[in-house]
Amino acid sequence: MTLAESARPQVAARPADPRRWAALVLLCTANFMVILDAQAVIMGVPVIAADLGLSPVEAQWILSGNLLTFGGLLLLGGRAADLLGRRRVFMLGTALFLAVSVLSAVATAGPLLLVARTLHGVSAALMAPTALAILTDMFPEGRERNRAFAAWSALAAMGATIGLLLGGALLGWFGWPSLFFVNVPVAVLMLVLSPVLLRESRDASAQRSLGVAGAVLSTASLGLLVYLLVEAPTLGWTSFPVLGLAVVFAALIGVTIAVDRRSAAPMLPARLFRSPIVLGGNLLTVLMAMLAYGMSVVLSQYSLGVLGYTPIRFGLSQSVMPIACVAGAYAAQKALARMTVRPVAVAAFVLLGTGSALLIGISPGAGYLTTVLPGLVVFGLGLGIGPVVLAAAALNRVTPADAGIASGINVAAFQIGGALGVAVVSTIIAANMAATPGPSGALAGFHAGMAACTGFGAAGVVVAFVLLRRAHRGTLAAVPRMH
């Protein structure tokens, strides 16, 4: 027996970290705050724009600037965590999150706020994938990891709805700076607890090089893709700028792949996508995000624009969905202990598609209890199941050296899917409104947008059947334990 072979059982037999459940609360809180902040700021954009004198285009970049840096830097953040240490990068992201929250709250001019929100995307790109990689490291494969994924999923879903509720309340009571000040005590507490609850992790055998060319190219590619998706609904999908950017994006992807093939430390390792389960997990994550964000666009615009709901009333009307998400996440981690990935993923997309189909019937005369509530409950169940099984699939048997980048890819898939869902659904709504002016056109637009979400759900069922067919029970043992 070689020295390496004799060492293997000792690594596998290393006792689970006794701090892992307290650490899980910390890591889920980080992800919760990233999502909470984004949702709360959505509610505050009109008020902020009016107070700081921002034009509609400038106001849009309060959201788009954050999305651009978050989506563009996710892979770089994940790889940096692999090389520099996950706890270190997580704390760096948290410290930046704290600083930009203060800077956003005290901003008295539009340009300063836009810079702060752009930097917020950088902090989120460091925190989110690193937190997921640390979670995967601290929890052993099987039931415990599935339970951890379920908690991660449930709290993320709750953050989306609570952000709308909290954002509306803070705006009404304390003004828009409170949207950012609320992050400060939580970020301070996370910084204090991180050295206590989180152990440092990196793989000693990992390539000690970032691969500068690949890092620059992949970051530019992702950033350009997010920018393209943000601008396409306004400029037009067939406009010269959009088509030109699409060509540049395709060229950048081709160059990135060519550079990565020759690099000792590729930013997008091809080995991660040779597994149909990992590939399927990430593709389905894109579709799930398209559903989540697309449905949010339809319901928010319909409720606030057509029904005249206040932000608080809208948040309350959606509050049943995070409850259903928690139930779905709990059911998912139980199901993964008994069956393979594919039926659980299929069930998630069937529920998401069915919930969207039920909501196609929304109209000013439709009752909330008979039309909206059933759709929200069914959709919420699917939204709770989806992230649990898809994160497990996307991190299936990833090596220790690739844990951070694999988490970054999965979070990036969700961000890209979200941007794509908003772009597609917004375009569909606008096209229908333009074709039929007046209230009937608005209603037709919202119905068409929700029908598109139903189509995303059907596509997810097909992808799950095709790419997850080789998954066997017990193969969701993602990342080997790290030093």
Side-chain angles (χ1 to χ4, degrees), residues 69-86 88-90 92-93 121-131 133 210 215 218-219 222 267 403-409 411-412:
T69 49
F70 188 11
L73 295 172
L74 275 166
L75 297 186
L76 187 60
R79 178 54 83 196
D82 285 335
L83 299 179
L84 303 177
R86 296 178 179 87
R88 180 181 300 172
V89 172
F90 176 78
L92 175 63
V122 179
S123 72
L126 294 175
M127 290 170 64
T130 307
L210 187 59
S218 62
T219 299
L222 271 179
M267 280 297 293
I405 190 65
S407 298
I409 290 170
V411 179

Side-chain angles (χ1 to χ4, degrees), residues 291 295 299 321 347-362 371-383 450-451 453-454 457:
L291 273 156
M295 193 272 283
L299 286 185
M321 194 155 58
F349 279 93
V350 167
L351 288 168
L352 289 167
T354 302
S356 300
L358 291 172
L359 289 168
I360 292 176
I362 57 174
T371 304
V372 179
L373 183 64
L376 292 178
V377 170
V378 174
F379 193 94
L381 288 171
L383 196 58
M450 200 59 75
C453 292
T454 305

Side-chain angles (χ1 to χ4, degrees), residues 30-329:
N31 192 42
F32 176 84
M33 292 305 297
V34 168
I35 296 171
L36 181 80
D37 176 274
Q39 291 293 95
V41 172
I42 288 173
M43 305 298 296
V45 166
V47 177
I48 296 171
D51 191 43
L52 298 182
L54 297 175
S55 69
V57 174
E58 291 171 330
Q60 174 195 342
W61 279 98
I62 295 175
L63 304 176
S64 299
N66 174 73
L67 181 62
L68 186 65
T69 49
F70 188 11
L73 295 172
L74 275 166
L75 297 186
L76 187 60
R79 178 54 83 196
D82 285 335
L83 299 179
L84 303 177
R86 296 178 179 87
R87 184 179 68 182
R88 180 181 300 172
V89 172
F90 176 78
M91 292 183 66
L92 175 63
T94 304
L96 182 58
F97 177 73
L98 171 61
V100 298
S101 294
V102 173
L103 183 61
S104 299
V106 301
T108 55
L112 181 60
L113 179 64
L114 295 180
V115 169
R117 295 309 296 167
T118 301
L119 289 174
H120 176 270
V122 179
S123 72
L126 294 175
M127 290 170 64
T130 307
L132 184 57
I134 295 172
L135 181 155
T136 310
D137 170 51
M138 294 192 77
F139 284 87
E141 63 186 65
R143 180 173 298 179
E144 281 203 353
R145 187 174 292 158
N146 291 338
R147 290 175 65 189
F149 281 148
W152 175 274
S153 167
L155 282 176
M158 290 177 66
T161 302
I162 292 175
L164 297 174
L165 279 169
L166 183 63
L170 289 175
L171 278 172
W173 296 336
F174 304 109
W176 66 262
S178 62
L179 299 176
F180 307 108
F181 274 131
V182 74
N183 298 332
V184 174
V186 181
V188 170
L189 186 61
M190 288 195 300
L191 279 175
V192 171
L193 292 179
S194 290
V196 179
L197 298 178
L198 306 179
R199 65 180 175 214
E200 188 57 279
S201 67
R202 69 166 69 87
D203 189 68
S205 64
Q207 175 71 34
R208 304 303 298 170
S209 171
L210 187 59
V212 176
V216 171
L217 287 168
S218 62
T219 299
S221 300
L222 271 179
L224 181 59
L225 177 59
V226 173
Y227 178 81
L228 181 66
L229 294 175
V230 167
E231 293 295 313
T234 301
L235 299 176
W237 289 90
T238 59
S239 65
F240 178 77
V242 170
L243 293 177
L245 288 174
V247 171
V248 174
F249 168 71
L252 274 176
I253 287 294
V255 174
T256 302
I257 293 172
V259 169
D260 270 0
R261 283 180 175 175
R262 299 182 179 183
S263 174
M267 280 297 293
L268 286 171
R271 59 186 175 273
L272 291 180
F273 299 101
R274 291 186 185 125
S275 165
I277 302 174
V278 173
L279 178 61
N282 283 298
L283 287 178
L284 289 169
T285 297
V286 171
L287 285 168
M288 183 184 66
M290 290 176 68
L291 273 156
Y293 280 84
M295 193 272 283
S296 179
V297 166
V298 175
L299 286 185
S300 61
Q301 291 189 14
Y302 175 76
S303 299
L304 299 174
V306 176
L307 298 181
Y309 281 11
T310 64
I312 294 179
R313 185 179 179 186
F314 172 67
L316 287 172
S317 72
Q318 307 299 300
S319 59
V320 67
M321 194 155 58
I323 298 173
C325 282
V326 173

